[in-house]
Amino acid sequence: MTEQAEVENRKRWRIQAVEHSFGPSGRPLYQPGRTLLREGALRKQSRRRVQMKVFFLFNDVLVYGTVILHGRWHQNQNIVPLEDVLLEDVEDLEQIRNQWLIRTPRKSFFVSAESLEEKRAWMQHIEQCKADLLQSGGLQAGANFAVSWIPDQTSYKCMRCLKKFSVSRRRHHCRRCGFLVCNNCSRPRELIEHIHPTKRVRVCSLCHIRKEDSNPRLRGDSTGTNSSEDEDSAESSDEEEEEEEATMQDHVPSSWLDFRMGTWGHRTSSYLSPQTLS
């Protein structure tokens, strides 16, 4: 077997290992030309808590999921084409440092790394892979992205009617502005194709009015009279962020691929320059 064939076999084995770690619910990941370049755990801000998530950066997609058993089992697999990923740097807060925003068409969320160095490595690797992918031709960068949701704990009252949340007045998120709103202020449902191509999703009354004003033909449509199927789909979409807490709480250093040796390693004090990816 030639050296190049051995390297290809190692790449294929590594991708299949990631694929199998998501179990039968995960979608296939291996395909010719796809290469796994980086993997590691990042803290993701969900609607109710910060959770540890595992991320896998390939040369064409970003895959992430919930950690069940470190290095072996994951769930809630998400696959995002790199052309549909947009990164935005975020200043440090007193409670959270080394964070940035990952925007995708279906959802946008904040993640944070253990160190500034690791944050820079992740951001630069993703940006470089995306640039290389677009430069290769045939793809265009995405233009529509979901808003990031305001965390539940940041407001004790509806950001539209200003009434306090309670057991009966639950928190919900508008899919257009990301604000925390109550059920009465989020009865309308709209089709936002980059979030879901066929199901109407929850929006607040103000965003719905603005949408109607900008497009008079929509008046009288989707004003809150929803079928049970629409309501269930919207509620289940709300629940997507309420995933099980990861069993792994300790930070795991990111891994990178050594292209010359075809091996993997860990590094906590320095990161691989994106120039080596070209």
Side-chain angles (χ1 to χ4, degrees), residues 59-153:
N59 58 328
D60 61 337
V61 295
L62 181 66
V63 178
Y64 67 94
T66 303
V67 180
I68 300 301
L69 181 62
H70 168 54
R72 296 190 63 182
W73 301 111
H74 310 111
Q75 67 177 15
N76 302 320
Q77 182 195 61
N78 293 270
I79 304 175
V80 187
L82 285 182
E83 66 269 22
D84 288 334
V85 173
L86 181 65
L87 305 184
E88 294 182 13
D89 201 354
V90 178
E91 293 184 1
D92 285 349
L93 302 176
E94 185 175 348
Q95 305 88 346
I96 306 177
R97 297 183 179 276
N98 310 314
Q99 65 173 333
W100 69 98
L101 176 63
I102 298 180
R103 303 189 67 191
T104 77
R106 186 169 176 270
K107 64 173 64 176
S108 298
F109 50 89
F110 294 93
V111 295
S112 60
E114 184 73 6
S115 66
L116 177 61
E117 210 166 22
E118 187 176 5
K119 167 187 171 178
R120 287 173 174 171
W122 270 105
M123 293 188 71
Q124 291 182 18
H125 273 149
I126 293 173
E127 293 283 16
Q128 185 66 62
C129 288
K130 177 181 176 180
D132 291 343
L133 187 65
L134 296 177
Q135 195 171 31
S136 65
L139 295 173
Q140 291 186 338
N144 296 312
F145 299 95
V147 296
S148 56
W149 288 5
I150 294 178
D152 283 9
Q153 66 271 20

XYZ file of all heavy atoms in Angstrom, residues 59-153:
775
model
N -13.509 19.994 5.875
C -13.171 20.978 4.854
C -14.396 21.549 4.147
O -14.289 22.517 3.398
C -12.211 20.384 3.812
C -12.806 19.162 3.134
O -13.574 18.412 3.722
N -12.450 18.953 1.874
N -15.601 20.979 4.416
C -16.801 21.488 3.754
C -18.002 21.646 4.670
O -18.976 22.298 4.297
C -17.183 20.576 2.579
C -17.506 19.156 3.026
O -17.044 18.749 4.109
O -18.223 18.450 2.295
N -17.968 21.073 5.870
C -19.097 21.183 6.796
C -18.602 21.341 8.222
O -17.459 20.980 8.555
C -20.040 19.951 6.718
C -20.726 19.856 5.374
C -19.281 18.671 7.052
N -19.467 21.883 9.068
C -19.227 21.956 10.512
C -20.272 21.069 11.182
O -21.472 21.228 10.950
C -19.354 23.395 11.012
C -19.108 23.623 12.507
C -17.644 23.334 12.854
C -19.471 25.056 12.905
N -19.819 20.122 11.997
C -20.709 19.177 12.665
C -20.574 19.373 14.169
O -19.469 19.524 14.685
C -20.341 17.718 12.296
C -21.241 16.736 13.040
C -20.450 17.512 10.787
N -21.707 19.395 14.875
C -21.631 19.486 16.330
C -22.757 18.687 16.970
O -23.759 18.352 16.316
C -21.669 20.944 16.805
C -22.974 21.682 16.560
C -23.961 21.739 17.545
C -23.215 22.330 15.356
C -25.135 22.425 17.331
C -24.388 23.015 15.139
C -25.350 23.066 16.123
O -26.531 23.741 15.915
N -22.577 18.355 18.238
C -23.573 17.573 18.944
C -23.317 17.569 20.434
O -22.369 18.169 20.935
N -24.185 16.874 21.154
C -24.102 16.779 22.603
C -23.191 15.623 23.007
O -23.252 14.550 22.419
C -25.503 16.550 23.203
O -26.365 17.612 22.784
C -25.455 16.530 24.725
N -22.355 15.869 24.000
C -21.437 14.844 24.484
C -22.163 13.919 25.465
O -22.762 14.385 26.437
C -20.212 15.468 25.180
C -19.277 14.381 25.686
C -19.484 16.406 24.237
N -22.149 12.629 25.199
C -22.687 11.641 26.125
C -21.547 10.961 26.880
O -21.541 10.878 28.096
C -23.531 10.589 25.378
C -24.692 11.268 24.653
C -24.052 9.531 26.348
C -25.628 12.025 25.559
N -20.570 10.481 26.148
C -19.373 9.871 26.734
C -18.185 10.381 25.932
O -18.104 10.141 24.727
C -19.449 8.345 26.675
C -18.263 7.580 27.271
C -18.137 7.889 28.767
C -18.430 6.082 27.063
N -17.293 11.095 26.582
C -16.207 11.768 25.876
C -15.428 10.822 24.973
O -14.963 9.769 25.398
C -15.254 12.412 26.882
C -13.971 12.874 26.274
N -13.935 13.714 25.184
C -12.685 12.585 26.576
C -12.662 13.917 24.855
N -11.901 13.247 25.674
N -15.332 11.238 23.714
C -14.530 10.499 22.752
C -15.208 9.280 22.174
O -14.656 8.620 21.294
N -16.455 8.976 22.616
C -17.080 7.745 22.153
C -18.512 7.938 21.672
O -18.876 7.488 20.597
C -17.051 6.696 23.272
C -15.639 6.287 23.671
C -15.664 5.088 24.601
N -16.250 3.907 23.948
C -16.426 2.746 24.560
N -16.088 2.619 25.836
N -16.947 1.728 23.915
N -19.359 8.613 22.485
C -20.765 8.692 22.132
C -21.261 10.140 22.157
O -20.978 10.889 23.090
C -21.611 7.845 23.098
C -21.232 6.394 23.111
C -20.640 5.702 24.127
C -21.393 5.460 22.039
N -20.425 4.398 23.770
C -20.879 4.210 22.500
C -21.929 5.525 20.757
C -20.881 3.062 21.706
C -21.933 4.383 19.970
C -21.424 3.181 20.446
N -22.008 10.487 21.107
C -22.603 11.811 21.004
C -24.044 11.669 20.517
O -24.438 10.607 20.041
C -21.819 12.695 20.020
C -20.349 12.711 20.273
N -19.425 12.134 19.412
C -19.634 13.194 21.317
C -18.211 12.288 19.896
N -18.305 12.929 21.057
N -24.821 12.744 20.635
C -26.179 12.737 20.111
C -26.536 14.143 19.632
O -25.740 15.072 19.738
C -27.181 12.260 21.162
C -27.350 13.196 22.342
C -28.411 12.699 23.312
O -28.828 11.565 23.269
N -28.842 13.581 24.206
N -27.759 14.289 19.092
C -28.238 15.570 18.560
C -27.281 16.112 17.496
O -26.820 17.251 17.567
C -28.422 16.599 19.684
C -29.384 16.129 20.759
O -30.409 15.530 20.450
N -29.054 16.382 22.007
N -26.997 15.289 16.509
C -26.060 15.670 15.453
C -26.609 16.817 14.603
O -27.768 16.798 14.184
C -25.788 14.466 14.553
C -24.777 14.729 13.447
C -24.807 13.650 12.385
O -25.828 13.447 11.729
N -23.708 12.926 12.238
N -25.797 17.827 14.382
C -26.128 18.947 13.503
C -25.027 19.085 12.465
O -23.841 19.119 12.814
C -26.246 20.249 14.297
C -27.429 20.255 15.247
O -28.518 20.668 14.897
N -27.212 19.775 16.477
N -25.417 19.190 11.191
C -24.463 19.324 10.097
C -24.768 20.623 9.360
O -25.877 20.811 8.854
C -24.549 18.139 9.118
C -24.349 16.813 9.866
C -23.518 18.283 8.001
C -24.545 15.589 8.993
N -23.786 21.516 9.296
C -23.982 22.814 8.649
C -22.946 22.991 7.547
O -21.742 22.953 7.820
C -23.844 23.976 9.656
C -24.215 25.296 8.991
C -24.709 23.732 10.887
N -23.366 23.185 6.294
C -22.403 23.471 5.222
C -21.622 24.750 5.548
O -22.199 25.732 6.033
C -23.296 23.661 3.993
C -24.572 22.948 4.324
C -24.751 23.117 5.805
N -20.332 24.749 5.293
C -19.502 25.899 5.659
C -19.885 27.173 4.923
O -19.686 28.275 5.455
C -18.026 25.580 5.410
C -17.353 24.647 6.424
C -15.886 24.472 6.083
C -17.529 25.147 7.850
N -20.457 27.036 3.714
C -20.880 28.247 3.008
C -22.045 28.932 3.719
O -22.343 30.104 3.467
C -21.250 27.938 1.553
C -22.477 27.063 1.364
C -22.139 25.588 1.300
O -21.062 25.198 1.802
O -22.957 24.825 0.734
N -22.708 28.202 4.635
C -23.827 28.751 5.385
C -23.453 29.108 6.816
O -24.328 29.238 7.676
C -24.991 27.751 5.408
C -25.673 27.627 4.062
O -25.616 28.588 3.280
O -26.258 26.566 3.783
N -22.160 29.261 7.076
C -21.686 29.626 8.407
C -21.113 31.039 8.374
O -20.349 31.392 7.479
C -20.606 28.639 8.903
C -19.990 29.129 10.214
C -21.202 27.249 9.095
N -21.533 31.848 9.325
C -20.993 33.204 9.463
C -20.556 33.398 10.907
O -21.327 33.146 11.830
C -22.057 34.248 9.093
C -21.621 35.717 9.174
C -20.536 36.022 8.134
C -22.815 36.652 8.985
N -19.314 33.844 11.109
C -18.779 34.047 12.452
C -18.736 35.528 12.790
O -18.435 36.362 11.945
C -17.363 33.469 12.557
C -17.169 31.997 12.179
C -15.727 31.587 12.442
C -18.130 31.098 12.932
N -19.050 35.843 14.035
C -18.962 37.217 14.520
C -18.234 37.205 15.864
O -18.620 36.464 16.774
C -20.358 37.826 14.685
C -21.115 38.007 13.374
C -22.462 38.665 13.567
O -22.708 39.195 14.679
O -23.268 38.653 12.623
N -17.192 38.006 15.966
C -16.441 38.092 17.217
C -17.286 38.798 18.280
O -18.105 39.658 17.964
C -15.137 38.851 16.992
C -14.106 38.541 18.063
O -14.441 37.828 19.023
O -12.966 39.025 17.949
N -17.080 38.416 19.528
C -17.845 38.976 20.638
C -16.873 39.368 21.740
O -15.943 38.625 22.056
C -18.870 37.947 21.184
C -19.630 38.531 22.374
C -19.843 37.534 20.089
N -17.091 40.541 22.311
C -16.237 40.993 23.401
C -16.464 40.146 24.650
O -17.546 39.613 24.875
C -16.517 42.471 23.714
C -16.100 43.435 22.608
C -16.310 44.874 23.022
O -16.757 45.111 24.166
O -16.032 45.767 22.202
N -15.424 40.054 25.462
C -15.522 39.289 26.703
C -16.491 39.954 27.675
O -16.587 41.188 27.755
C -14.153 39.185 27.372
C -13.237 38.201 26.673
O -13.729 37.452 25.803
O -12.027 38.188 26.983
N -17.211 39.123 28.403
C -18.031 39.573 29.513
C -17.357 39.136 30.807
O -16.441 38.313 30.802
C -19.437 38.975 29.419
C -20.219 39.289 28.146
C -21.555 38.538 28.162
C -20.457 40.786 28.014
N -17.838 39.664 31.922
C -17.242 39.293 33.203
C -17.443 37.809 33.482
O -16.565 37.146 34.017
C -17.878 40.124 34.317
C -17.235 39.887 35.673
C -17.802 40.796 36.740
O -18.519 41.754 36.389
O -17.534 40.531 37.928
N -18.617 37.286 33.070
C -18.919 35.883 33.348
C -18.420 34.952 32.250
O -18.096 33.790 32.508
C -20.430 35.689 33.502
C -21.088 36.580 34.529
C -21.531 37.922 33.960
O -21.125 38.306 32.867
N -22.364 38.623 34.706
N -18.381 35.407 31.008
C -18.022 34.555 29.873
C -16.907 35.207 29.066
O -17.026 36.361 28.653
C -19.241 34.306 28.962
C -20.414 33.741 29.768
C -18.873 33.348 27.830
C -21.662 33.533 28.951
N -15.860 34.457 28.818
C -14.733 34.960 28.033
C -14.491 34.061 26.823
O -14.959 32.936 26.770
C -13.461 35.029 28.901
C -13.576 36.006 30.062
C -12.287 36.113 30.853
N -12.409 37.070 31.945
C -12.237 38.384 31.794
N -11.916 38.871 30.613
N -12.375 39.198 32.829
N -13.759 34.596 25.877
C -13.338 33.850 24.679
C -14.538 33.295 23.907
O -14.550 32.141 23.480
C -12.393 32.706 25.083
C -11.275 33.157 25.979
O -10.641 34.175 25.720
N -11.030 32.411 27.053
N -15.550 34.127 23.723
C -16.743 33.677 23.016
C -16.868 34.333 21.646
O -16.259 35.370 21.367
C -17.997 33.938 23.849
C -18.301 35.418 24.077
C -19.637 35.627 24.767
O -20.545 34.808 24.652
N -19.768 36.725 25.488
N -17.662 33.715 20.803
C -18.005 34.279 19.509
C -19.355 33.721 19.086
O -19.872 32.774 19.688
C -16.920 34.003 18.469
C -16.769 32.572 18.027
C -17.273 31.990 16.903
C -16.008 31.541 18.680
N -16.883 30.674 16.814
C -16.112 30.373 17.894
C -15.252 31.492 19.854
C -15.499 29.171 18.237
C -14.651 30.287 20.203
C -14.768 29.160 19.404
N -19.927 34.339 18.068
C -21.251 33.958 17.589
C -21.110 33.153 16.309
O -20.417 33.571 15.382
C -22.098 35.209 17.338
C -23.504 34.997 16.742
C -24.388 34.197 17.691
C -24.154 36.341 16.425
N -21.751 31.991 16.271
C -21.837 31.180 15.060
C -23.233 31.339 14.493
O -24.217 30.955 15.138
C -21.541 29.694 15.342
C -20.114 29.525 15.869
C -21.733 28.858 14.072
C -19.739 28.074 16.184
N -23.339 31.918 13.320
C -24.640 32.134 12.694
C -24.839 31.133 11.564
O -23.935 30.928 10.743
C -24.750 33.563 12.159
C -24.539 34.638 13.210
C -24.886 36.007 12.673
N -26.322 36.118 12.410
C -26.879 37.122 11.740
N -26.114 38.069 11.225
N -28.189 37.158 11.556
N -26.013 30.506 11.527
C -26.375 29.586 10.451
C -27.813 29.906 10.050
O -28.522 30.616 10.782
C -26.274 28.110 10.893
O -27.412 27.772 11.710
C -24.994 27.850 11.673
N -28.289 29.405 8.914
C -29.660 29.708 8.502
C -30.710 29.238 9.499
O -31.712 29.928 9.725
C -29.795 28.968 7.167
C -28.402 28.898 6.634
C -27.544 28.697 7.855
N -30.497 28.084 10.114
C -31.537 27.508 10.970
C -31.464 28.020 12.404
O -32.484 28.235 13.048
C -31.419 25.986 10.973
C -32.545 25.291 11.705
C -32.525 23.787 11.464
N -33.545 23.117 12.247
C -33.357 22.651 13.469
N -32.163 22.772 14.026
N -34.339 22.065 14.129
N -30.271 28.212 12.944
C -30.126 28.732 14.300
C -28.776 29.429 14.431
O -27.832 29.130 13.702
C -30.268 27.624 15.345
C -29.196 26.563 15.280
C -29.307 25.592 16.450
C -30.589 24.810 16.417
N -30.664 23.786 17.501
N -28.721 30.371 15.359
C -27.479 31.081 15.646
C -27.242 31.007 17.151
O -28.186 31.102 17.937
C -27.573 32.536 15.181
O -27.771 32.605 13.778
N -25.984 30.856 17.560
C -25.710 30.627 18.970
C -24.293 31.073 19.308
O -23.410 31.163 18.452
C -25.888 29.145 19.320
C -25.156 28.202 18.399
C -23.852 27.812 18.656
C -25.773 27.722 17.256
C -23.175 26.960 17.806
C -25.113 26.855 16.388
C -23.812 26.474 16.664
N -24.090 31.340 20.611
C -22.786 31.742 21.122
C -22.025 30.521 21.624
O -22.608 29.632 22.253
C -22.949 32.747 22.264
C -23.529 34.066 21.837
C -24.900 34.285 21.905
C -22.716 35.078 21.359
C -25.450 35.485 21.509
C -23.248 36.299 20.965
C -24.625 36.503 21.035
N -20.726 30.494 21.355
C -19.850 29.465 21.900
C -18.641 30.151 22.517
O -18.308 31.289 22.177
C -19.393 28.462 20.822
C -20.564 27.672 20.272
C -18.640 29.157 19.693
N -17.980 29.445 23.431
C -16.777 29.993 24.045
C -15.738 28.891 24.192
O -16.074 27.722 24.365
C -17.090 30.613 25.415
O -17.630 29.661 26.295
N -14.483 29.286 24.119
C -13.357 28.353 24.224
C -12.658 28.536 25.566
O -12.887 29.516 26.291
C -12.373 28.589 23.079
N -11.774 27.608 25.876
C -11.055 27.644 27.146
C -10.061 28.806 27.190
O -9.813 29.372 28.252
C -10.317 26.323 27.357
C -9.601 26.201 28.695
C -10.565 26.007 29.855
O -11.772 25.848 29.628
O -10.073 26.024 31.011
N -9.509 29.181 26.039
C -8.503 30.237 26.002
C -8.696 31.097 24.759
O -9.362 30.691 23.799
C -7.088 29.640 25.994
O -6.877 28.922 24.782
N -8.105 32.283 24.793
C -8.154 33.167 23.633
C -7.454 32.529 22.437
O -7.895 32.666 21.298
C -7.498 34.507 23.978
C -7.407 35.535 22.839
C -8.804 35.905 22.328
C -6.664 36.776 23.317
N -6.385 31.818 22.716
C -5.619 31.153 21.667
C -6.476 30.115 20.936
O -6.472 30.021 19.702
C -4.398 30.479 22.308
C -3.202 30.380 21.403
C -1.960 30.036 22.211
O -2.092 29.491 23.322
O -0.869 30.304 21.714
N -7.213 29.329 21.715
C -8.066 28.305 21.119
C -9.216 28.941 20.340
O -9.601 28.459 19.273
C -8.611 27.376 22.204
C -9.367 26.188 21.644
C -9.830 25.218 22.712
O -9.647 25.521 23.920
O -10.360 24.163 22.348
N -9.768 30.013 20.869
C -10.825 30.732 20.151
C -10.321 31.206 18.787
O -10.978 31.018 17.761
C -11.285 31.933 20.983
C -12.159 32.927 20.210
C -12.433 34.177 21.028
C -13.105 35.249 20.192
N -13.430 36.472 20.972
N -9.147 31.813 18.766
C -8.585 32.305 17.504
C -8.348 31.156 16.523
O -8.591 31.289 15.316
C -7.278 33.043 17.770
C -7.454 34.403 18.420
C -6.108 34.997 18.809
N -6.231 36.358 19.315
C -5.242 37.038 19.882
N -4.041 36.446 20.015
N -5.432 38.260 20.323
N -7.872 30.032 17.055
C -7.608 28.886 16.189
C -8.890 28.388 15.527
O -8.922 28.146 14.324
C -6.951 27.761 16.998
N -9.950 28.237 16.324
C -11.224 27.780 15.772
C -11.750 28.756 14.717
O -12.144 28.356 13.615
C -12.255 27.616 16.884
C -12.275 26.261 17.505
C -11.776 25.904 18.730
C -12.811 25.064 16.938
N -11.974 24.563 18.962
C -12.614 24.021 17.879
C -13.448 24.763 15.738
C -13.028 22.700 17.653
C -13.862 23.452 15.501
C -13.651 22.447 16.447
N -11.759 30.036 15.051
C -12.316 31.030 14.133
C -11.516 31.096 12.837
O -12.082 31.140 11.738
C -12.375 32.405 14.805
C -13.367 32.487 15.963
S -13.589 34.170 16.600
C -14.494 34.941 15.245
N -10.201 31.090 12.948
C -9.366 31.189 11.756
C -9.462 29.923 10.900
O -9.494 29.999 9.674
C -7.921 31.478 12.156
C -7.726 32.870 12.734
C -6.283 33.175 13.080
O -5.365 32.506 12.616
N -6.075 34.179 13.916
N -9.534 28.775 11.535
C -9.678 27.536 10.773
C -10.995 27.502 10.008
O -11.047 27.136 8.831
C -9.602 26.333 11.716
C -8.208 25.847 11.960
N -7.816 25.272 13.140
C -7.108 25.832 11.166
C -6.535 24.929 13.074
N -6.095 25.263 11.889
N -12.077 27.875 10.683
C -13.386 27.870 10.020
C -13.403 28.867 8.869
O -13.873 28.562 7.765
C -14.499 28.187 11.036
C -14.620 27.045 12.061
C -15.842 28.380 10.322
C -15.573 27.352 13.212
N -12.897 30.069 9.118
C -12.891 31.094 8.065
C -12.041 30.658 6.879
O -12.420 30.865 5.718
C -12.362 32.419 8.633
C -13.261 33.067 9.682
C -14.469 33.765 9.076
O -14.793 33.499 7.896
O -15.095 34.563 9.792
N -10.887 30.041 7.151
C -10.007 29.613 6.063
C -10.647 28.494 5.254
O -10.591 28.489 4.018
C -8.670 29.143 6.632
C -7.634 28.780 5.566
C -7.210 29.980 4.760
O -6.647 30.931 5.313
N -7.464 29.969 3.459
N -11.258 27.530 5.945
C -11.926 26.418 5.234
C -13.074 26.935 4.378
O -13.278 26.481 3.251
C -12.433 25.386 6.233
S -11.137 24.400 7.002
N -13.831 27.880 4.915
C -14.942 28.457 4.155
C -14.417 29.198 2.927
O -14.960 29.061 1.818
C -15.751 29.404 5.038
C -16.891 30.103 4.303
C -17.657 31.049 5.219
C -18.736 31.804 4.457
N -19.487 32.735 5.347
N -13.356 29.984 3.092
C -12.777 30.728 1.968
C -12.265 29.778 0.884
O -12.484 30.004 -0.306
C -11.649 31.632 2.464
N -11.599 28.710 1.303
C -11.094 27.736 0.329
C -12.237 27.054 -0.408
O -12.157 26.804 -1.613
C -10.240 26.677 1.037
C -8.929 27.243 1.569
O -8.539 28.337 1.128
O -8.315 26.590 2.433
N -13.306 26.772 0.318
C -14.462 26.107 -0.289
C -15.117 27.004 -1.335
O -15.448 26.560 -2.446
C -15.471 25.740 0.807
C -16.674 24.888 0.388
C -16.229 23.502 -0.057
C -17.670 24.791 1.545
N -15.297 28.275 -1.014
C -15.920 29.205 -1.950
C -15.010 29.492 -3.139
O -15.471 29.677 -4.257
C -16.284 30.503 -1.229
C -17.333 30.397 -0.117
C -17.542 31.750 0.556
C -18.662 29.885 -0.664
N -13.706 29.524 -2.876
C -12.747 29.805 -3.940
C -12.679 28.674 -4.951
O -12.365 28.897 -6.130
C -11.367 30.061 -3.334
C -10.386 30.706 -4.303
C -9.110 31.125 -3.590
O -8.687 30.508 -2.609
N -8.474 32.189 -4.075
N -12.994 27.461 -4.490
C -12.952 26.320 -5.400
C -14.055 26.376 -6.453
O -14.019 25.634 -7.429
C -13.058 25.012 -4.606
O -14.308 24.906 -3.963
N -15.048 27.256 -6.242
C -16.084 27.464 -7.253
C -17.299 26.587 -7.048
O -17.267 25.565 -6.379
N -18.424 27.052 -7.627
C -19.645 26.266 -7.585
C -20.525 26.532 -6.383
O -21.658 26.057 -6.325
N -20.039 27.299 -5.390
C -20.825 27.590 -4.197
C -20.822 29.082 -3.916
O -19.869 29.795 -4.262
C -20.251 26.847 -2.984
C -20.311 25.312 -3.013
C -19.541 24.748 -1.823
C -21.750 24.818 -2.996
N -21.892 29.550 -3.286
C -21.995 30.939 -2.879
C -22.233 31.012 -1.382
O -22.896 30.142 -0.808
C -23.137 31.652 -3.626
C -22.884 31.848 -5.112
C -23.977 32.672 -5.767
O -25.084 32.753 -5.246
N -23.671 33.277 -6.899
N -21.723 32.058 -0.775
C -21.910 32.235 0.662
C -23.381 32.489 0.966
O -24.079 33.176 0.213
C -21.064 33.399 1.168
N -23.867 31.919 2.064
C -25.249 32.111 2.471
C -25.533 33.564 2.801
O -24.646 34.311 3.225
N -26.806 33.960 2.623
C -27.195 35.346 2.869
C -28.232 35.472 3.975
O -28.427 36.554 4.523
C -27.743 35.973 1.581
N -28.930 34.387 4.318
C -29.984 34.424 5.332
C -29.557 33.635 6.558
O -29.157 32.469 6.443
C -31.282 33.848 4.770
C -31.821 34.672 3.625
O -31.919 35.895 3.722
N -32.174 34.015 2.529
N -29.658 34.282 7.726
C -29.224 33.634 8.960
C -30.270 33.839 10.047
O -30.940 34.872 10.099
C -27.885 34.212 9.425
C -26.770 34.013 8.447
C -26.443 35.005 7.541
C -26.058 32.823 8.416
C -25.420 34.826 6.615
C -25.029 32.639 7.505
C -24.712 33.634 6.601
N -30.396 32.842 10.903
C -31.309 32.943 12.031
C -30.756 33.919 13.061
O -29.543 34.080 13.197
C -31.510 31.563 12.674
N -31.661 34.567 13.781
C -31.229 35.463 14.848
C -30.800 34.624 16.049
O -31.229 33.476 16.213
C -32.364 36.425 15.270
C -32.728 37.348 14.128
C -33.576 35.656 15.761
N -29.957 35.185 16.885
C -29.580 34.498 18.121
C -30.640 34.777 19.181
O -31.158 35.883 19.287
C -28.207 34.985 18.600
O -28.200 36.394 18.753
N -30.985 33.745 19.956
C -32.028 33.878 20.974
C -31.481 34.507 22.245
O -30.377 34.190 22.696
C -32.599 32.506 21.313
C -33.452 31.922 20.236
C -33.687 32.427 19.000
C -34.183 30.690 20.301
N -34.524 31.596 18.287
C -34.841 30.529 19.062
C -34.340 29.723 21.288
C -35.644 29.421 18.782
C -35.145 28.620 21.014
C -35.793 28.480 19.787
N -32.267 35.378 22.841
C -31.919 35.939 24.135
C -32.110 34.864 25.199
O -33.174 34.250 25.267
C -32.794 37.167 24.442
C -32.470 38.293 23.447
C -32.603 37.634 25.876
C -33.313 39.533 23.615
N -31.105 34.576 26.030
C -31.232 33.509 27.043
C -32.402 33.747 27.984
O -32.742 34.890 28.307
C -29.894 33.576 27.785
C -28.948 34.198 26.800
C -29.760 35.183 26.014
N -33.003 32.679 28.444
C -34.195 32.759 29.297
C -33.971 33.599 30.552
O -34.847 34.350 30.980
C -34.638 31.350 29.713
C -35.359 30.626 28.587
O -35.361 31.138 27.453
O -35.917 29.535 28.843
N -32.790 33.467 31.149
C -32.558 34.088 32.448
C -32.333 35.597 32.369
O -32.228 36.254 33.396
C -31.372 33.430 33.159
C -30.022 33.636 32.483
C -29.718 32.567 31.450
O -30.628 31.905 30.970
N -28.449 32.395 31.120
